[in-house]
Amino acid sequence: MKRPALLLAAVPVVATAVYMLVPSEPDGPAAGGGPAVTASPEPGGRAGERAGPGSAGDDALVASRPPGLADPAKKELAQQILASAEYATLRWRETYGAIEDAGDGDGYTAGIVGFTTGTHDLLALVERYTREHPDNGLAAYLPALRAVDGTDSHEGLDPGFTDAWRAEARTPAFRAAQEAERDRVYFDPAVRMAKLDGLGTLGQFVYYDAMVRRGPDTGPDGFYGLREQAVREARTPGRGGDEKEFLEAFLDVRRAAVLAKDPQADTSRIDTVQRRFLREGNLELATPLTWQVHGETFRVP
């Protein structure tokens, strides 16, 4: 959706470094409720139209699928892989307080999935959090966040917003709010759509990563727009297609969209992470895993 990878100040960056981490304690139950987006698995459908929780038939189909990426251990793994690309670390719980302007036109990027001040999701997070916790340290910045939404401006945010974000990120309530918003906007809709398309755990992660990066949008560069392009190239498994062929097509479409915007863009999170797992035949995202992203190697045993 948004930005190049950021690097945590506490994590030294060495091109040949190898990171290994035994998965830490999985997330608790999601606090964000059900998915906010429903989409048709049919090619050419209105995929991404905001129309409530979906049909009873869709709900039954999703419920009938194995947990996949929603299994707590797999969800933990998904967040580790995402953090390796977003922040050059597997220790994603150290990124609640991360905040930086990456110079990509989206203003400040912050938190566990890289919420940004320029693409509305950071504003939505703070608004939702403030409804539950009106005295939080970020509430005073809501007028400024609304004013800069859709821009890269820092007007009204500097100099105090970054310190306020880091301070609030030390509170359990704001950490829980970040996880809930991640699930509501990105994780739950991505996993739901992937299950409707008949995709296994790897395919669900492919959708989740694309949802985070491209946003839950129906335009040609948004997640649902990319999916519609992919289903014109290959059938989903849910429509009788081959899972590997469909995922190759989806990754091709996503890579092309990235390079169309910036021919020099780093596409390693597609090429040497997701496509690597796909070509290894690891459709269930089974560990151990080794991958490279942005010139670094990561391993989960």
Side-chain angles (χ1 to χ4, degrees), residues 3-7 82-88 109 113-114 212-213 269:
R3 64 257 140 205
L6 302 178
L7 303 175
L82 185 74
S84 74
E86 293 288 325
Y87 291 112
T109 297
V113 293
V212 168
R213 291 294 295 181
R269 71 193 297 153

Side-chain angles (χ1 to χ4, degrees), residues 215-272:
D217 305 319
T218 57
D221 292 334
F223 166 77
Y224 290 106
L226 296 179
R227 177 191 167 275
E228 289 205 20
Q229 294 173 57
V231 299
R232 289 196 289 267
E233 301 295 327
R235 282 182 177 272
T236 66
R239 298 284 293 167
D242 180 83
E243 186 168 9
K244 289 184 179 180
E245 288 181 8
F246 175 75
L247 288 175
E248 287 278 8
F250 183 88
L251 292 175
D252 285 346
V253 166
R254 183 178 170 193
R255 188 176 191 275
V258 172
L259 295 177
K261 185 175 181 180
D262 178 6
Q264 305 303 315
D266 185 322
T267 58
S268 58
R269 71 193 297 153
I270 300 168
D271 301 330
T272 54

Side-chain angles (χ1 to χ4, degrees), residues 104-257:
D104 57 359
D106 289 329
Y108 282 120
T109 297
I112 59 172
V113 293
F115 303 101
T116 68
T117 56
T119 61
H120 191 70
D121 59 349
L122 190 148
L123 169 60
L125 165 64
V126 176
E127 286 180 330
R128 188 173 291 267
Y129 178 59
T130 300
R131 286 197 291 271
E132 298 294 326
H133 304 276
D135 296 327
N136 75 83
L138 299 173
Y141 292 96
L142 276 171
L145 289 171
R146 295 182 182 114
V148 304
D149 191 24
T151 78
D152 62 356
S153 174
H154 295 183
E155 186 173 356
L157 299 177
D158 292 340
F161 180 69
T162 55
D163 287 341
W165 179 277
R166 294 184 188 104
E168 200 67 30
R170 290 193 285 270
T171 69
F174 190 50
R175 293 181 174 216
Q178 287 193 39
E179 293 184 32
E181 197 72 355
R182 170 201 63 191
D183 293 347
R184 185 184 74 87
V185 178
Y186 299 116
F187 188 85
D188 290 347
V191 172
R192 176 185 175 84
M193 187 73 257
K195 288 184 177 183
L196 289 174
D197 281 343
L199 299 174
T201 307
L202 174 60
Q204 292 163 32
F205 176 77
V206 167
Y207 274 20
Y208 173 49
D209 189 71
M211 185 82 81
V212 168
R213 291 294 295 181
R214 312 305 300 185
D217 305 319
T218 57
D221 292 334
F223 166 77
Y224 290 106
L226 296 179
R227 177 191 167 275
E228 289 205 20
Q229 294 173 57
V231 299
R232 289 196 289 267
E233 301 295 327
R235 282 182 177 272
T236 66
R239 298 284 293 167
D242 180 83
E243 186 168 9
K244 289 184 179 180
E245 288 181 8
F246 175 75
L247 288 175
E248 287 278 8
F250 183 88
L251 292 175
D252 285 346
V253 166
R254 183 178 170 193
R255 188 176 191 275

Side-chain angles (χ1 to χ4, degrees), residues 40-139:
S40 167
E42 299 287 333
R46 296 283 299 169
E49 183 176 355
R50 294 182 179 274
S55 72
D58 284 354
D59 292 344
L61 178 59
V62 170
S64 73
R65 303 289 192 195
L69 206 66
D71 175 86
K74 293 299 184 187
K75 187 175 184 180
E76 176 73 17
L77 178 61
Q79 201 62 33
Q80 289 176 319
I81 299 171
L82 185 74
S84 74
E86 293 288 325
Y87 291 112
T89 182
L90 298 179
R91 299 182 182 277
W92 67 268
R93 288 179 178 81
E94 295 178 358
T95 69
Y96 293 104
I99 183 166
E100 180 181 346
D101 190 325
D104 57 359
D106 289 329
Y108 282 120
T109 297
I112 59 172
V113 293
F115 303 101
T116 68
T117 56
T119 61
H120 191 70
D121 59 349
L122 190 148
L123 169 60
L125 165 64
V126 176
E127 286 180 330
R128 188 173 291 267
Y129 178 59
T130 300
R131 286 197 291 271
E132 298 294 326
H133 304 276
D135 296 327
N136 75 83
L138 299 173

